[in-house]
Amino acid sequence: MQAPTPQRTRRADRYRQATGVAPSPELMRRSTALSPAIDDAPPEPMARPQPVPRRKESPRIPKWITTGIIVCSILILALVAAQSLMRAYIVQQQRAREAAYQKVLDNHPIYHMDLIERYANENNLQPAFVAAIILNESSFRTNAESGIGARGLMQLMPDTAEWIAGKLGDTHYSFDRMYEAEPNIRYGCWYLNYLSRLFRGDPVTVAAAYHAGQTTVTGWLDDPAMSPDGLKLSLEGMKDGPTKTYAGRVTQAYAIYDAIYYQEASSPDAVPVPDGQ
């Protein structure tokens, strides 16, 4: 019997490890005949385990830097929030001004502007003052009539209208025509010019005379308690009553009409807002 070679022994050991049984002599001979070079091959060296590379640790950020970043972030957020609140406040205030301005416009309409400007210019009057008189007399209602018989936009009395017609030489005068806008504004502007020349163009005094009559106002001017200079009236010096209230409303509306319609650059901030608006 042939002695086993080291190569055959190694082959038998590998077979036994793989199958769990010893190889037969016949199988060993066939294995040697089919692959004699396998026994001659040197054993493969065992792979060495590769060292695991150590992870480099990131440098730690100092605490004072971290604290500074947090504080800066909080300050930035606070600044952004403050800016947002300020923008919201500005928008709110702007809307409030616009609402107040719109309310002033609603409370101070103007109609027949072409007639107002035409007859105001002819009589050396401010159109805004004429508009203020009309607003307080009739609220721009052509068919307005008072309990004592005054008619139309500027609330002219029958005797006053007839007297003005004579001054104007209007041969077509009829008191019924005082319901019409054109003759009413024409007569009313002429009368305002007359009062303006009589009372030196002072808005408060002219408005008071338009309401109470020129004779009444002349008497007030003679009263030092109401007119220290005897030339004009002041709202503060007038006695409480309908004429004082009327004159105050007219002068206030005069300022508003002038700011809205007759200043070169009017804006919500430029319009005087009456108390309570």
Side-chain angles (χ1 to χ4, degrees), residues 73-270:
S73 300
I74 294 174
L75 291 176
I76 291 173
L77 291 175
L79 180 60
V80 171
Q83 289 178 340
S84 299
L85 291 174
M86 180 59 68
R87 283 195 295 268
Y89 174 77
I90 292 173
V91 170
Q92 182 182 10
Q93 292 300 308
Q94 180 63 25
R95 289 177 178 173
R97 285 194 297 269
E98 291 175 354
Y101 179 64
Q102 186 60 48
K103 189 174 182 179
V104 169
L105 287 178
D106 294 340
N107 291 336
H108 295 80
I110 187 168
Y111 305 100
H112 314 292
M113 183 181 287
D114 54 342
L115 293 174
I116 291 173
E117 292 178 351
R118 173 185 171 185
Y119 289 111
N121 292 332
E122 286 185 6
N123 292 279
N124 196 30
L125 301 170
Q126 293 293 331
F129 186 70
V130 177
I133 291 288
I134 296 175
L135 176 70
N136 283 275
E137 288 289 343
S138 65
S139 298
F140 289 90
R141 293 180 294 114
T142 56
N143 62 346
E145 184 168 358
S146 71
I148 57 176
R151 287 184 180 180
L153 293 171
M154 301 188 73
Q155 289 291 280
L156 296 171
M157 293 291 291
D159 54 348
T160 303
E162 186 176 0
W163 175 69
I164 295 172
K167 294 294 184 179
L168 291 173
D170 186 359
T171 58
H172 301 288
Y173 167 74
S174 168
F175 190 56
D176 288 338
R177 294 188 64 206
M178 291 300 101
Y179 287 127
E180 301 174 17
E182 194 273 339
N184 190 286
I185 293 174
R186 180 190 178 197
Y187 280 36
C189 285
W190 187 94
Y191 186 51
L192 280 177
N193 172 265
Y194 168 80
L195 295 175
S196 181
R197 287 186 284 111
L198 189 64
F199 297 110
R200 301 173 183 268
D202 178 63
V204 174
T205 309
V206 171
Y210 196 90
H211 183 267
Q214 68 184 66
T215 303
T216 300
V217 170
T218 300
W220 290 347
L221 292 175
D222 292 335
D223 184 354
M226 297 186 67
S227 176
D229 60 4
L231 299 175
K232 60 183 179 180
L233 298 172
S234 66
L235 289 174
E236 295 78 11
M238 294 177 65
K239 295 180 180 179
D240 292 338
T243 300
K244 179 178 180 178
T245 301
Y246 175 87
R249 289 176 177 174
V250 167
T251 52
Q252 188 177 71
Y254 173 28
I256 292 173
Y257 276 120
D258 185 60
I260 293 175
Y261 299 103
Y262 295 103
Q263 286 186 359
E264 290 183 359
S266 62
S267 67
D269 294 333

Side-chain angles (χ1 to χ4, degrees), residues 62-82:
K63 289 185 177 179
W64 67 270
I65 294 180
T66 304
T67 303
I69 292 174
I70 294 173
V71 171
C72 289
S73 300
I74 294 174
L75 291 176
I76 291 173
L77 291 175
L79 180 60
V80 171

